[in-house]
Amino acid sequence: MTTHSRFSGVWCPSITPMDAQGALDMNGLSQHLARLTAARIDVILLMGSIGEFASLSLEERLRLIREARAMSPLAMVANVSSTCVADIVRMAEEAFRTGYDGVMVLPPYYYGQTSNQLLSYFRALGKQFSGKWFAYNFPARTGCDITPEITATLAKEFPNFAGIKDTVDCQSHTRNIIIATEAVRNDFAVLSGYDEYFIPNLLAGGAGIISGLNNIMPELFVQAREAWAAGDFQTLHNVQREIGRFMSIYSIGDDFVTTIKTVVSRKFGYCQPHSRNFGGELSAAQCQHIDSVFGIQ
C-alpha cells in the first residue's frame, strides 16, 4: 500500500441524488456525504461515473463543485472529465478555488486515441492544472487504455499527477501500473476501480479502492482498511468474502447507477432512487431481491 500518499485508502464515488423531476437534490447529497464522513472513509469523489457526470450540464457540475465542498471535512476530489477541454479547465479551476484536494479526468472518449495522443492530451492538461490531479482509466467506456508506460511517464514528468483510478477487470493490469510507477515515484496512488479488488490491490502494493459499494456499506471497506493496517488477515479474508457476495448489485436491473441509488433510498431514506439513465427502474421483484441482499426491512 502506498502509505506515502494522502490519497490512500477508501474512496467513495458518491451518487448524485435527484428528485422525481431529475433536478439536483442538494439536501439529499448533504445527508449522503454526512453518512460517508461518519463512516470514516478517506476520500469522496464527486461526479464520478456513479455520480452521473456525463448526464449533467456544465452549470450543474459547477454548482455541485461549489456547494458540495462544504458538506464534508474529508478530502474531496472532483471528476472534471468532459469532451471539451475548456470545460475541463474551467471546472478544475473552480474545484481548486473552492478547496478541493484534487481533480480527476478521463482520457478523450468517442474518438479513438493512440498512445502519443494520450500523452499529448494529459501533458496539455497537466500544464494547466494548478493542483493535484488524477487520471481515470476506464477502457470499456473510453475505447483507449492508459497503459503502465504512459502512467509512469506522466508520473515522472508531473509532480502534481497524484494517482490513477484503474477501472480494468484484470488485477495484473493494475499491478503493472503499480510496478511501473514505483520505479519513478514513491507517493503515487494506484487505486482500483473494482470493489472486489481492494484487498488484492493492497497486497500488490496499491493505494486503495474507489468503490461504488461504499455508497451503501462504507463501514465494510473501512473495516478492511483497519484490518490491513493491523495485519489481521482473518478479517481481511472474511471481508473479501462479503464484498464478493455484495458484488451481485452490479447484475441487478439494467443500470447499476439506478440500482445503487435504489438501495441507498430504500435502506437510508434520505434520497430518491431517480437517475438520468433511462430504463433503469427496478421491478417489485428486483426491489425485493435487493432488500434481501442488503438487509433492508
Side-chain angles (χ1 to χ4, degrees):
M1 185 174 182
T2 310
T3 55
H4 304 289
S5 173
R6 61 190 173 102
F7 297 105
S8 298
V10 177
W11 291 44
C12 179
S14 176
I15 58 170
T16 301
M18 298 171 183
D19 65 21
Q21 288 70 48
L24 299 178
D25 175 10
M26 303 307 285
N27 181 59
L29 179 63
S30 179
Q31 293 185 70
H32 188 61
L33 299 192
R35 187 171 65 81
L36 297 178
T37 302
R40 298 186 303 111
I41 67 167
D42 297 290
V43 183
I44 293 169
L45 175 62
L46 191 71
M47 301 184 299
S49 297
I50 289 174
E52 300 177 76
F53 78 93
S55 302
L56 302 171
S57 69
L58 177 59
E59 290 73 22
E60 288 173 319
R61 297 181 72 181
L62 288 169
R63 181 189 175 195
L64 282 164
I65 288 170
R66 290 166 185 150
E67 296 186 25
R69 175 60 275 192
M71 295 179 184
S72 172
L74 295 177
M76 293 183 71
V77 173
N79 174 30
V80 297
S81 301
S82 173
T83 53
C84 175
V85 170
D87 289 349
I88 292 172
V89 173
R90 183 178 176 188
M91 286 186 284
E93 289 175 345
E94 191 64 16
F96 293 130
R97 185 189 71 81
T98 51
Y100 282 75
D101 297 87
V103 298
M104 181 173 287
V105 63
L106 284 159
Y109 43 97
Y110 182 76
Y111 294 106
Q113 299 289 301
T114 65
S115 294
N116 177 62
Q117 287 178 297
L118 289 174
L119 278 171
S120 298
Y121 175 77
F122 283 111
R123 280 169 171 155
L125 290 177
K127 291 173 183 176
Q128 296 182 74
F129 290 154
S130 60
K132 301 291 185 182
W133 57 279
F134 295 80
Y136 182 1
N137 191 37
F138 201 169
R141 295 291 184 269
T142 64
C144 58
D145 180 32
I146 306 173
T147 65
E149 295 75 20
I150 291 172
T151 309
T153 297
L154 293 168
K156 185 176 181 180
E157 293 180 14
F158 293 95
N160 275 341
F161 181 28
I164 186 169
K165 177 184 181 183
D166 194 37
T167 307
V168 177
D169 194 7
C170 177
Q171 179 60 28
S172 64
H173 187 280
T174 308
R175 170 176 48 77
N176 285 331
I177 292 179
I178 294 167
I179 292 170
T181 54
E182 280 181 340
V184 297
R185 293 265 294 276
N186 65 2
D187 63 343
F188 190 83
V190 179
L191 301 145
S192 176
Y194 277 91
D195 312 61
E196 61 188 320
Y197 291 161
F198 179 28
I199 295 168
N201 193 40
L202 296 181
L203 290 167
I209 189 70
I210 303 180
S211 161
L213 279 171
N214 278 319
N215 285 284
I216 302 164
M217 49 186 55
E219 297 83 2
L220 184 64
F221 290 83
V222 170
Q223 183 184 15
R225 182 194 68 199
E226 298 303 299
W228 175 261
D232 182 353
F233 291 97
Q234 182 59 54
T235 296
L236 288 171
H237 169 78
N238 295 339
V239 170
Q240 182 68 29
R241 295 291 297 271
E242 284 291 281
I243 293 172
R245 183 166 69 87
F246 290 119
M247 288 297 291
S248 65
I249 193 171
Y250 294 105
S251 60
I252 300 171
D254 295 306
D255 169 47
F256 70 88
V257 174
T258 304
T259 301
I260 290 173
K261 282 185 154 184
T262 301
V263 176
V264 173
S265 176
R266 294 173 73 87
K267 191 172 181 69
F268 303 105
Y270 51 70
C271 64
Q272 300 186 47
H274 309 296
S275 82
R276 292 186 180 173
N277 296 333
F278 293 95
E281 298 82 2
L282 299 187
S283 67
Q286 289 168 329
C287 286
Q288 186 176 26
H289 180 48
I290 62 173
D291 287 351
S292 175
V293 171
F294 293 96
I296 301 171
Q297 304 298 321

